[in-house]
């Protein structure tokens, strides 16, 4: 949460910062600001409540500074006001921050900083502390301050009497940097400077970065110089742009067939799952007695799909925990348990902490992560990268689909290793998986129908998503998608559970989106649908049944392509994503930047 960028080099900084911030806006968009060195040696700040476009409107056309830092905020400490917006400036220090300094009250008191503060933020306390500890050596001040902070932080700092230089340090909160011929760049993620450099390195925790026009130096807190380990971006610049689509979310929905193919293809050898290239040893699967999946939000919903599939096929216990709860439970994990941690960003703090906890019990932690080199990927014992490419829209779509795909591959591999399926069955399973991009593409042709359908959703106050088995887990994702971008209250229910209370909320015209794609529970779901229909619900049914004509079952029938039951989830979810997208757009909201949300949740 919060996006940060810094640049010092041969080019004018202002546009680099503003463009970089625009691509970081998915991390927060409550306020935005930049600060930069002026010729006079002074540091100037421009900041405002609102988005980067509002900041751009108040920036100085004549600003030719070549060194500055920028920030887009997701408010944690202190409301959405100009004075709480970053950058903050205290004395000789101006800085931006992503993270939370948990002991800021104590620090303010102990170092007598209160009189220099004008905002309500923990960040300004940090600025005041750096200023207080500063005696001419920025690195010394940073070293001392870093040892005092409790919490997470990624700081970019400028000291008034060191023009042209940006200092940085981080703990937990992500930061990547690069030196190239245009100068030195640093940001929360590399989409912010990919137009200038495809090479980058992950800033190691508790290392001080000194960035100048002609290079970057990196040292640990003891003063030892460290060589940065550069990586190369493996996706195209165009992947981080809208490419003609009105929103990233719609583009990412359409990217799903390709993302799916990219994710599964390298893991299939001779029609069987193979993770040799990922470095996953056979022992990881061979003696697995149980599985715990830990994740947040949509990634957790992918875990729910994984659980239903794996428990059914492998006949071993699979539990799914919300990471923020898992951390405070007594986990039942043994040496033969497999812990699967799922995260698109690889930086979600609760998921990261859950992983750290799991590692105390087992060496078999496997993460399913999209962002290469992210904290979760680095800290887990094994990693399976999804190849979704950059996901920019706050609401996750393609990342979810490839997380599910990863579970399908893993399940097949475990099935073989644990002798729960034959090689022939595994090959059939993989063949079905390889066909998924085709059926998703078929579903995408129904887009305009979905757009029309949502006219009926726009005025709804409440909606319900129901299903059984895999369809229930998908309902959770459908409800989350709708509520987070259209602000319509949406609840997911196991279809059979509705009548135990919630059916009281069904009245005339309430939309119920019902999923009935699983043969073994089909007739039961149809009965549950009739129950809500009888109470006036407006039912939108997703099924593969070609014979639905009965108006007592549904008002709208969305026919899904033929595919084996276990694989229908990939088709249904695309419909649910399109319903959410067009409902939000129909209501006049920007689905890429839903209110109160940010993409990478790096606060607990
Ligand atoms: C919802 C959404 C979130 C994320 C959650 C975890 O559309 O995107 O619920 O799934 O914040 O994020 P990651 O996967 O980055 O750990």
């Amino acid at each position: 949460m919060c996006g940060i960028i810094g640049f010092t080099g041969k080019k004018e900084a202002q546009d680099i910062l503003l463009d970089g911030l625009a691509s970081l806006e998915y991390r927060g968009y409550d306020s935005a600001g930049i600060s930069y060195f002026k010729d006079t040696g002074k540091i100037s700040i421009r900041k405002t409540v609102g988005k980067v476009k509002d900041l751009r409107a108040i920036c100085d056309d004549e600003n030719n500074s070549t060194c500055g830092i920028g920030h887009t905020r997701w408010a944690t400490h202190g409301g959405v006001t100009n004075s709480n917006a970053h950058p903050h400036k205290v004395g000789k220090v101006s800085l931006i921050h992503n993270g939370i300094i948990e002991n800021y009250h104590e620090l303010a008191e102990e170092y007598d900083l209160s009189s220099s503060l004008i905002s309500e933020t923990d960040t300004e306390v940090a600025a005041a502390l750096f200023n207080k500890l500063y005696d001419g050596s920025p690195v010394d001040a940073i070293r001392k301050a870093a040892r005092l902070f409790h919490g997470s932080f990624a700081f970019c700092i400028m000291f008034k009497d060191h023009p042209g230089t940006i200092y940085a340090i981080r703990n937990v909160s992500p930061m990547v940097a690069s030196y190239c011929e245009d100068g030195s760049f640093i940001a929360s993620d590399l989409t912010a400077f990919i137009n200038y450099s495809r090479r980058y390195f992950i800033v190691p925790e508790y290392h001080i970065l000194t960035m100048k026009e002609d290079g970057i130096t990196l040292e640990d807190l003891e003063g030892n110089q460290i060589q940065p380990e550069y990586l190369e971006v493996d996706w195209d610049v165009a992947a981080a742009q809208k490419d003609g689509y009105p929103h990233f979310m719609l583009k990412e929905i359409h990217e799903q067939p390709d993302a799916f193919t990219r994710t599964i293809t390298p893991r299939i050898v001779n029609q069987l799952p193979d993770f040799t290239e990922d470095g996953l040893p056979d022992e990881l699967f061979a003696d697995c007695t149980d599985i715990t999946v830990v994740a947040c939000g949509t990634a957790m919903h992918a875990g729910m799909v994984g659980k239903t599939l794996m428990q059914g096929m492998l006949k071993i216990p699979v539990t799914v925990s919300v990471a923020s709860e898992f951390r405070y439970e007594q986990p039942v994990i043994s040496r033969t348990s497999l812990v699967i941690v799922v995260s698109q960003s690889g930086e979600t703090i609760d998921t990261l902490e859950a992983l750290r906890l799991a590692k105390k019990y087992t060496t078999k932690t496997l993460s399913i992560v999209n962002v290469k080199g992210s904290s979760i990927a680095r800290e887990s014992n094994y990693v399976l990268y999804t190849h979704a490419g950059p996901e920019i829209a706050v609401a996750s779509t393609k990342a979810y689909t490839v997380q599910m795909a990863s579970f399908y591959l893993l399940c097949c591999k475990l099935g073989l290793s644990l002798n729960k399926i034959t090689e022939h069955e595994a090959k059939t399973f993989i063949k079905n998986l390889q066909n998924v991009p085709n059926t998703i593409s078929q579903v995408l042709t129904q887009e305009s129908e979905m757009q029309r359908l949502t006219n009926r959703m726009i005025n709804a106050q409440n909606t319900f998503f129901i299903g059984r088995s895999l369809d229930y887990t998908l309902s959770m994702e459908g409800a989350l998608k709708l509520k987070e971008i259209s602000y319509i209250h949406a609840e997911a229910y196991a279809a059979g559970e509705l009548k135990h209370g919630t059916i009281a909320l069904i009245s005339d015209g309430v939309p119920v989106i019902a999923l009935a794609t699983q043969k073994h529970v089909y007739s039961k779901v149809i009965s549950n649908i009739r129950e809500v229909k009888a109470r006036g619900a407006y039912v939108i049914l997703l099924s593969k049944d070609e014979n639905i004509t009965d108006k007592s079952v549904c008002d709208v029938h969305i026919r899904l392509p033929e595919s084996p039951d276990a694989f229908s989830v990939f088709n249904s979810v695309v419909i649910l994503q399109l319903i959410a997208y067009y409902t939000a757009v129909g209501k006049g909201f920007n689905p890429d930047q839903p209110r109160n949300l940010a993409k990478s949740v790096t606060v607990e």
Side-chain angles (χ1 to χ4, degrees), residues 92-93 129-138 141 159 161-162:
K92 294 187 167 173
V93 170
L129 185 66
F130 283 118
N131 184 56
K132 184 110 185 179
L133 300 174
Y134 179 57
D135 61 1
S137 163
F159 291 82
D161 38 14
H162 289 265

Side-chain angles (χ1 to χ4, degrees), residues 245-266:
Y245 284 92
H247 299 103
F248 278 111
M249 184 174 173
L250 189 60
K251 175 183 176 234
E252 288 161 7
I253 290 173
H254 279 268
E255 283 173 340
Q256 291 179 109
D258 286 347
F260 196 99
T261 305
R262 275 200 306 274
T263 300
I264 64 163
T265 306

Side-chain angles (χ1 to χ4, degrees), residues 295-300 342-348 351 376 391 393-397 403 477 480-481 484 598-601:
C296 298
T298 287
M300 192 272 291
V342 193
S343 176
Q344 186 285 129
S345 63
E347 299 294 348
T348 301
T351 311
I376 292 173
E391 191 179 63
V394 166
S396 185
T397 53
Q403 286 161 355
E477 178 57 9
L480 175 63
K481 230 51 338 156
E484 72 177 321
K599 189 149 185 77
S600 185
V601 184

Side-chain angles (χ1 to χ4, degrees), residues 154-168:
F155 285 115
C156 288
I157 316 158
M158 301 195 306
F159 291 82
K160 187 168 167 280
D161 38 14
H162 289 265
T165 308
I166 297 168
Y167 299 87

Side-chain angles (χ1 to χ4, degrees), residues 35 43 45 69 87-89 92-96 156-158:
S35 68
I43 294 177
I45 295 187
I69 54 181
H88 289 280
K89 190 163 141 192
K92 294 187 167 173
V93 170
S94 175
L95 61 69
I96 50 176
C156 288
I157 316 158
M158 301 195 306

